[in-house]
């Protein structure tokens, strides 16, 4: 047992640290509810969210972000599961070389590829399109996804797969009917992390959308909103809350998965 | 068992390539190709429009010797202190205190402390800009406690802009470190602590002889993740200071974007990115080497 003094100090420090973690978010939520103009009255101004949604085009930006996030998450989950299955359960020539090639994606920061990617896509007339937002993001997610799913498939006891094979199940059926349903926790964790990274991504949309304002994602829209509305702090704060809210809600409901994912797959930054 | 090989279930099959092909195709086209292209571009002087001029390794020489290009890397080193070293130290202290006192509601604290990792950095930057503003809460606080002379526009001050970004780094990274170290400490058998206490070990002694060795692996992971975060900082700088005032908060990732997209110095921009990458890889390898050699 530790002393009473030590326990109280510990709790005091923990509460202080938690307050430090929560304060900026509380502040932004509080500002979002303040009257936008100096002479404004009233307690809580929920209309700031409506105004930001309309004036700041956040409706549009959120729709873009949702579309990009859904496509990236679905496609990268499917491709990662397929590749992870092969890497985790099959023996074939060049498997480790190909796997290390993919791992490069975990170690090389996207800063190194985003500029050439921009000029490559511009050459093909693909900048300012959804393709430029989505495909590079899928490529970035695959390194983690394949690594993560390979770990899962390797962890499955071989008896399960062998029993299914004795019963005449082919490789496709083993994956679809047995391993994927069993792997739901691993898949949920991967989906949440990829969703979070995609939703929060900033540099890629900034570079890939030089002129097309209509395709801006929510974080990108927020950064431009900042430039336009330096006066109205509460509108900017309302926009920030809108951008953060979806992931924070996901996080609160699924924090175990988020934290587990960061602990076990803690290779990617 | 009639199967020939032990190890992972399944059989040697060409079919594996069919499963891998789609992922490799996308990854090859949108990650590996640009990476190779980056190396190629770094050997040219190119404005992004006209024909490039081959300059060999000149861009690399420039990045390593030009003061204006070295400055962002020095700033990145400063940020490592704030994003990596301070959060790891705070995280270790907090996690070992939590474990020692067998705190109730660990799950709650863990969830709250980890939250900053989840929010988009653009949002984080907007929130902290407000805190550091001339009429913001930080200055209000200073005036209340009678330190009104210290109050200033923090982000507009050359001496403090980078430090302000560092403070945000502490805010973002500390929770991650706490969570990682808590996981490491939870594997230590409680008997070990009790035995140490019977031998008369105080909290400090206990911390150094039991806790730190127990989280060595997690420490390596925490250092790697936070170091990479420090060196890749872009969103915070872009939204909070745009690299200013002057050049006081320019960091490598910001320099990459500014040179290659705004200033038409694609070769230089890409070279900065590749040097940054090499630096990150070097640090990752070093940290892992150190943690492994300490193991044996």
């Amino acid at each position: 047992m530790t002393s009473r003094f030590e326990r109280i100090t510990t709790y005091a420090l923990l509460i202080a640290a938690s307050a430090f973690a929560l304060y900026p978010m509380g502040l932004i939520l509080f500002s979002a509810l303040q009257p936008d103009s100096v002479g404004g009255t009233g307690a809580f101004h929920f209309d700031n969210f409506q105004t930001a949604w309309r004036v700041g085009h956040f409706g549009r930006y959120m729709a873009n972000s949702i579309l990009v996030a859904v496509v990236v998450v679905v496609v990268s989950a499917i491709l990662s599961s397929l590749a992870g299955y092969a890497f985790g359960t099959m023996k074939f020539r060049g498997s480790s070389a190909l796997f290390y090639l993919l791992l490069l994606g975990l170690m090389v920061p996207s800063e190194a590829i985003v500029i050439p990617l921009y000029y490559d896509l511009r050459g093909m007339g693909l900048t300012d399109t959804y393709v430029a937002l989505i495909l590079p993001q899928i490529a970035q997610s695959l390194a983690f996804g394949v690594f993560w799913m390979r770990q899962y498939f390797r962890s499955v006891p071989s008896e399960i797969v062998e029993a299914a094979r004795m019963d005449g199940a082919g490789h496709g059926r083993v994956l679809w009917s047995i391993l994927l349903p069993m792997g739901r926790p691993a898949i949920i964790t991967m989906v949440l992390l990829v969703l979070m990274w995609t939703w929060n991504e900033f540099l890629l949309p900034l570079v890939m959308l030089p002129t097309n304002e209509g395709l801006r994602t929510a974080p990108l829209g927020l950064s431009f909103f900042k430039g336009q509305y330096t006066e109205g702090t509460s509108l900017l704060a309302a926009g920030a809350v809108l951008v953060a809210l979806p992931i924070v809600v996901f996080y609160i409901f699924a924090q175990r998965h988020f934290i587990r994912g960061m602990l076990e797959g803690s290779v990617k930054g | 068992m009639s199967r020939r090989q032990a190890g992972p279930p399944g059989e040697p099959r060409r079919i594996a390539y069919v499963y891998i092909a789609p992922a490799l195709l996308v990854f090859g086209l949108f990650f590996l190709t640009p990476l190779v292209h980056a190396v190629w571009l770094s050997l040219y002087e190119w404005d992004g429009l006209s024909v490039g001029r081959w300059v060999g390794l000149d861009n690399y020489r420039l990045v390593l010797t030009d003061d204006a290009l070295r400055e962002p890397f020095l700033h990145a080193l400063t940020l490592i202190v704030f994003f990596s070293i301070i959060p790891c130290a705070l995280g270790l202290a907090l996690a070992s205190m939590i474990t020692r006192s067998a705190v109730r509601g660990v799950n709650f604290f863990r969830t709250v402390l980890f939250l900053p990792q989840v929010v988009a950095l653009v949002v984080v930057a907007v929130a902290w800009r407000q805190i550091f503003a001339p009429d913001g809460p930080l200055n209000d606080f200073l005036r209340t406690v009678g330190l009104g002379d210290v109050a200033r526009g923090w982000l507009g001050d050359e001496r403090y802009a980078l430090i302000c970004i560092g403070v945000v780094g502490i805010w973002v990274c500390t929770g991650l470190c706490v969570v990682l170290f808590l996981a490491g400490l939870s594997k230590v058998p409680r008997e070990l602590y009790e035995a140490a206490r019977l031998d008369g070990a105080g909290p400090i002694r206990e911390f150094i002889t039991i806790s730190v060795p127990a989280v060595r692996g997690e420490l390596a992971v925490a250092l790697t993740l936070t170091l990479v975060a420090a060196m890749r900082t872009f969103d915070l700088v872009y939204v909070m200071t745009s690299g200013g005032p002057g050049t006081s908060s320019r960091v490598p990732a910001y320099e990459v974007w500014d040179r290659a997209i705004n200033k038409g110095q694609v070769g230089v921009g890409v070279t900065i990115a590749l040097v940054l990458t090499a630096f990150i890889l070097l640090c990752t390898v070093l940290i892992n080497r150190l943690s492994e050699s300490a193991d044996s």
Side-chain angles (χ1 to χ4, degrees):
Chain A
M1 276 306 283
T2 45
S3 71
R4 194 181 158 76
F5 170 75
E6 198 185 325
R7 288 178 66 80
I8 291 172
T9 317
T10 301
Y11 278 105
L13 280 175
L14 264 180
I15 290 166
S18 304
F20 179 57
L22 288 176
Y23 174 72
M25 287 177 269
L27 178 76
I28 206 93
L29 188 60
F30 180 73
S31 328
L33 295 170
Q34 294 303 298
D36 188 44
S37 51
V38 177
T41 51
F44 291 126
H45 285 252
F46 288 99
D47 50 311
N48 285 335
F49 292 107
Q50 284 172 319
T51 314
W53 187 269
R54 200 172 19 108
V55 180
H57 309 291
F58 277 100
R60 184 72 211 262
Y61 301 152
M62 300 281 274
N64 289 334
S65 271
I66 291 171
L67 177 77
V68 170
V70 168
V71 176
V72 169
V73 165
V74 170
V75 175
S76 58
I78 293 172
L79 299 192
S80 303
S81 302
L82 292 176
Y85 178 48
F87 281 119
T89 68
M90 299 178 194
K91 290 197 165 170
F92 53 97
R93 284 171 73 88
S95 66
S96 52
L98 289 175
F99 183 66
Y100 282 123
L101 204 61
L102 271 165
L103 275 192
L104 214 56
L106 280 179
M107 292 183 280
V108 175
S110 50
E111 280 76 4
I113 60 148
V114 74
I115 302 299
L117 202 53
Y118 166 72
Y119 289 105
D120 290 345
L121 292 173
R122 197 185 68 176
M124 291 184 271
L126 286 174
T127 47
D128 281 325
T129 65
Y130 281 116
V131 174
L133 284 181
I134 290 172
L135 283 171
Q137 191 70 43
I138 294 176
Q140 281 181 36
S141 310
L142 279 174
F144 168 76
V146 175
F147 176 79
W148 182 258
M149 291 312 288
R150 173 178 171 268
Q151 295 283 90
Y152 159 66
F153 286 114
R154 281 165 68 106
S155 74
V156 176
S158 56
E159 289 79 13
I160 294 177
V161 178
E162 279 165 16
R165 296 183 52 77
M166 302 274 200
D167 291 344
H171 46 83
R173 192 157 174 80
V174 169
L175 173 65
W176 184 251
S177 308
I178 299 170
L179 296 181
L180 285 183
M182 271 175 57
R184 197 176 293 151
I187 296 170
I188 290 175
T189 301
M190 173 182 68
V191 161
L192 284 174
L193 289 177
V194 172
L195 180 72
M196 175 179 97
W197 289 325
T198 307
W199 187 273
N200 292 347
E201 177 65 39
F202 182 71
L203 183 61
L204 194 72
L206 176 71
V207 171
M208 291 304 159
L209 304 175
T211 55
N212 193 341
E213 298 180 11
L215 289 191
R216 280 178 188 162
T217 55
L220 188 62
L222 181 65
S223 80
F224 281 95
F225 194 51
K226 185 213 99 193
Q228 287 165 356
Y229 294 87
T230 35
E231 303 297 317
T233 322
S234 42
L235 281 189
L236 180 62
V241 171
L242 288 173
V243 175
L245 203 61
I247 291 296
V248 171
V249 170
F250 269 115
Y251 171 68
I252 290 168
F253 282 110
Q255 37 92 12
R256 280 165 206 278
H257 289 286
F258 272 95
I259 289 175
R260 193 176 81 90
M262 288 309 277
L263 289 177
E264 288 176 22
S266 40
V267 199
K268 191 180 160 95
Chain B
M1 282 300 203
S2 62
R3 300 231 71 86
R4 274 165 293 138
Q5 87 263 8
E11 78 267 66
R13 274 215 192 195
R14 296 248 165 81
I15 195 77
Y17 299 114
V18 177
Y19 281 96
I20 291 170
L24 270 186
L25 184 72
V26 176
F27 185 75
L29 282 177
F30 292 91
F31 201 95
L32 292 179
T33 310
L35 186 59
V36 174
H37 193 186
V39 176
W40 181 246
L41 281 176
S42 74
L43 304 173
Y44 280 85
E45 186 183 308
W46 186 42
D47 60 7
L49 296 166
S50 54
V51 181
R53 190 171 68 89
W54 171 268
V55 293
L57 293 175
D58 271 6
N59 287 329
Y60 291 90
R61 195 175 312 139
L62 206 62
V63 170
L64 297 176
T65 56
D66 187 297
D67 282 342
L69 286 168
R70 260 194 315 200
E71 192 192 11
F73 284 96
L74 294 177
H75 292 163
L77 290 180
T78 310
L79 288 187
I80 288 175
V81 175
F82 287 95
F83 279 66
S84 202
I85 296 174
I86 295 175
C88 280
L90 286 175
L92 256 180
L94 276 172
S96 59
M97 287 174 83
I98 293 173
T99 311
R100 237 178 92 82
S101 293
V103 162
R104 286 176 198 214
V106 175
N107 206 20
F108 169 79
F109 287 118
R110 202 175 56 169
T111 306
V112 168
L113 292 176
F114 191 78
L115 187 58
Q117 278 286 318
V118 175
V119 181
L121 285 172
V122 180
V123 175
V124 170
V126 168
W128 279 92
R129 250 174 75 95
Q130 202 178 327
I131 292 173
F132 290 127
D135 57 348
L138 178 59
N139 283 337
D140 286 348
F141 172 76
L142 289 172
R143 288 188 194 104
T144 316
V145 297
L147 289 169
D149 295 345
V150 188
R152 68 189 73 228
W154 293 95
L155 294 172
D157 191 315
E158 287 204 6
R159 284 165 299 173
Y160 295 105
L162 188 67
I163 294 173
C164 288
I165 289 164
V167 170
V168 181
I170 298 179
W171 182 78
V172 172
C173 294
T174 301
L176 172 72
C177 295
V178 173
V179 167
L180 282 165
F181 297 145
L182 275 178
L185 288 175
S186 69
K187 288 179 298 197
V188 182
R190 290 208 65 78
E191 295 81 43
L192 214 57
Y193 285 110
E194 279 153 26
R197 265 171 238 178
L198 284 178
D199 288 348
I204 308 271
R205 178 83 181 282
E206 191 181 289
F207 178 72
I208 293 170
T209 53
I210 304 181
S211 303
V212 173
V215 298
R216 201 184 291 127
E218 283 76 13
L219 186 61
V221 173
L223 276 176
T224 311
L225 286 177
T226 52
L227 218 89
V228 172
M231 288 187 280
R232 292 183 56 188
T233 307
F234 176 78
D235 329 27
L236 289 179
V237 169
Y238 180 89
V239 176
M240 285 175 70
T241 65
S242 305
T247 57
S248 61
S249 65
R250 291 182 83 94
V251 292
Y254 187 86
E255 201 73 32
V256 171
W257 169 79
D258 189 39
R259 299 261 174 176
I261 302 288
N262 296 338
K263 294 200 173 126
Q265 303 176 5
V266 181
V268 175
V270 169
T271 308
I272 298 170
L274 289 175
V275 171
L276 184 69
T277 305
F279 192 58
I280 288 177
L281 290 180
L282 185 74
C283 289
T284 312
V285 171
L286 268 179
I287 291 171
N288 285 307
R289 276 283 156 78
L290 283 177
S291 85
E292 274 165 25
S293 69
D295 256 346
S296 55

